[in-house]
Amino acid sequence: AAFSALTKTVPAEELVNHIEFMRNLVASMVSDARRRKGGVGDGEFLMPGFNIAKGLEPLLPIFQRGILYGSPTIREVAASGLGELISYTASKYLAGPLIIKMTGPLLRIVGDRNPPNVKIAILRTLGLILVKGGPALRAFVPQFQTTFVKALSDTSRQVRIEATKALALLMPLSTRVDPLLKELVSGSLGKSTGDMGPVAAVQAATLDALAVVLKKAGKKAKLKDSIPSALDASKELLFHEDDGVRESAAKVMGACCLLLGAEITSDVVSSEILASDDETAEERHGKVCACHRIMASGAIIDDSASTEMTGLVVR
């Protein structure tokens, strides 16, 4: 009621200048409510005042305005603060138009030339929105996907990490996986266009994202070439000069082997891992990474190959 009275009296454009104070005030209220409840440890805590009909509506215009029109500092505080409000609210009180109203501004400005800390805050909040919003956000899947894939080529490593995490959260809602797999395979091979961070780092991030998509949604692929093309990319990059690319390529190889079955796994192991003892340091590292990821994936491997792979790792 107090927040509602405040927002009716003071315009949002004025309140946005005090958004950090409001975020701290909410944090203080939550801390006090937790204490009175006896503490909930690290578990989810739902703030009673937000878990009523239209409980977040008085605050939403302020945080939205901060996200859309604030300085970089205000944008970061607004995006993080909105994420905190979402985390304190049960899904049923975010359902429908409210969650959609939150999503639009974040998707609109995440692609702007914001500093990394702003992008990180936005990506984390979009991830929370996906967790809480569920099927109500299905219509936004293409926009989410475009946003997260673009962020994989950001110059900031943490932005790339958050984009991969967000893609993982998007997969339960995604029904058209083949175009995404094709785009990620292309990006992993360094064929993306536009502004990019360090090429090897972007390739590694894209491979990580590809491995996550294969693990979370690979079974949804309908085109016969989708998974094999990802496997081919992993083979091509397994002995790359950059160790991060080799490690990420091995993740993709493991995920593909699990999806493609025992016969393909056997072919991969014999042709890519056990074929030759004459190897460079890069090749040895790539093979060890591949052994680890294939064995950890749960892919079916015959006993003799498994023994040889174990021997390669401990050699």
Side-chain angles (χ1 to χ4, degrees):
F3 277 129
S4 181
L6 179 65
T7 54
K8 287 177 181 177
T9 306
V10 184
E13 54 267 30
E14 173 61 27
L15 288 173
V16 78
N17 296 318
H18 307 285
I19 200 164
E20 188 159 13
F21 171 77
M22 297 184 71
R23 181 188 177 195
N24 291 336
L25 182 61
V26 170
S28 178
M29 291 165 54
V30 169
S31 177
D32 183 58
R34 277 178 180 269
R35 182 183 56 77
R36 283 188 278 108
K37 196 175 180 181
V40 291
D42 295 327
E44 183 182 49
F45 175 77
L46 301 176
M47 184 69 178
F50 300 151
N51 288 274
I52 57 175
K54 301 183 178 180
L56 286 183
E57 286 202 356
L59 292 170
L60 193 56
I62 305 165
F63 284 88
Q64 282 185 317
R65 187 168 187 86
I67 289 166
L68 288 171
Y69 306 114
S71 66
T73 300
I74 287 178
R75 283 186 172 187
E76 180 186 4
V77 172
S80 297
L82 181 60
E84 289 157 6
L85 294 178
I86 292 167
S87 70
Y88 300 142
T89 308
S91 298
K92 68 178 181 179
Y93 294 109
L94 295 168
L98 186 62
I99 197 81
I100 293 170
K101 197 184 295 185
M102 293 177 180
T103 304
L106 291 167
L107 288 173
R108 200 179 313 160
I109 68 111
V110 68
D112 291 353
R113 293 190 177 277
N114 290 303
N117 55 328
V118 176
K119 293 180 182 178
I120 291 165
I122 292 172
L123 288 169
R124 286 175 177 168
T125 297
L126 286 172
L128 281 167
I129 285 174
L130 284 169
V131 171
K132 294 278 188 170
L137 297 169
R138 202 175 295 279
F140 285 91
V141 167
Q143 291 162 272
F144 276 110
Q145 189 169 293
T146 299
T147 296
F148 300 154
V149 171
K150 183 178 179 181
L152 291 171
S153 61
D154 196 86
T155 54
S156 164
R157 178 176 179 272
Q158 193 59 43
V159 169
R160 298 193 296 268
I161 289 172
E162 296 299 335
T164 300
K165 291 178 181 178
L167 265 177
L169 295 172
L170 181 64
M171 286 305 96
L173 299 180
S174 182
T175 54
R176 298 181 67 248
V177 176
D178 297 282
L180 175 58
L181 290 172
K182 182 178 180 181
E183 186 174 6
L184 292 175
V185 166
S186 178
S188 70
L189 295 170
K191 298 177 181 177
S192 296
T193 58
D195 296 334
M196 291 181 62
V199 175
V202 170
Q203 284 182 278
T206 309
L207 285 165
D208 283 341
L210 178 57
V212 164
V213 171
L214 288 166
K215 182 178 179 181
K216 299 285 186 180
K219 291 181 180 179
K220 297 181 185 179
K222 296 176 181 176
L223 300 179
K224 65 178 183 178
D225 293 334
S226 291
I227 310 300
S229 68
L231 179 60
D232 289 343
S234 74
K235 291 178 182 178
E236 183 173 337
L237 296 169
L238 187 62
F239 307 132
H240 192 277
E241 61 185 12
D242 182 85
D243 58 353
V245 173
R246 295 194 296 271
E247 291 168 6
S248 298
K251 295 177 187 177
V252 173
M253 185 171 285
C256 288
C257 285
L258 178 60
L259 289 166
L260 292 172
E263 185 177 346
I264 297 297
T265 300
S266 179
D267 289 343
V268 169
V269 170
S270 60
S271 64
E272 302 300 321
I273 299 173
L274 304 178
S276 171
D277 292 329
D278 185 18
E279 56 197 18
T280 64
E282 288 82 4
E283 289 172 334
R284 173 165 167 72
H285 178 247
K287 288 180 179 181
V288 170
C289 290
C291 287
H292 168 60
R293 293 298 175 178
I294 291 172
M295 296 174 81
S297 72
I300 298 172
I301 311 165
D302 65 62
D303 291 341
S304 61
S306 179
T307 300
E308 287 188 73
M309 290 168 74
T310 302
L312 179 65
V313 172
V314 301
R315 190 171 74 197

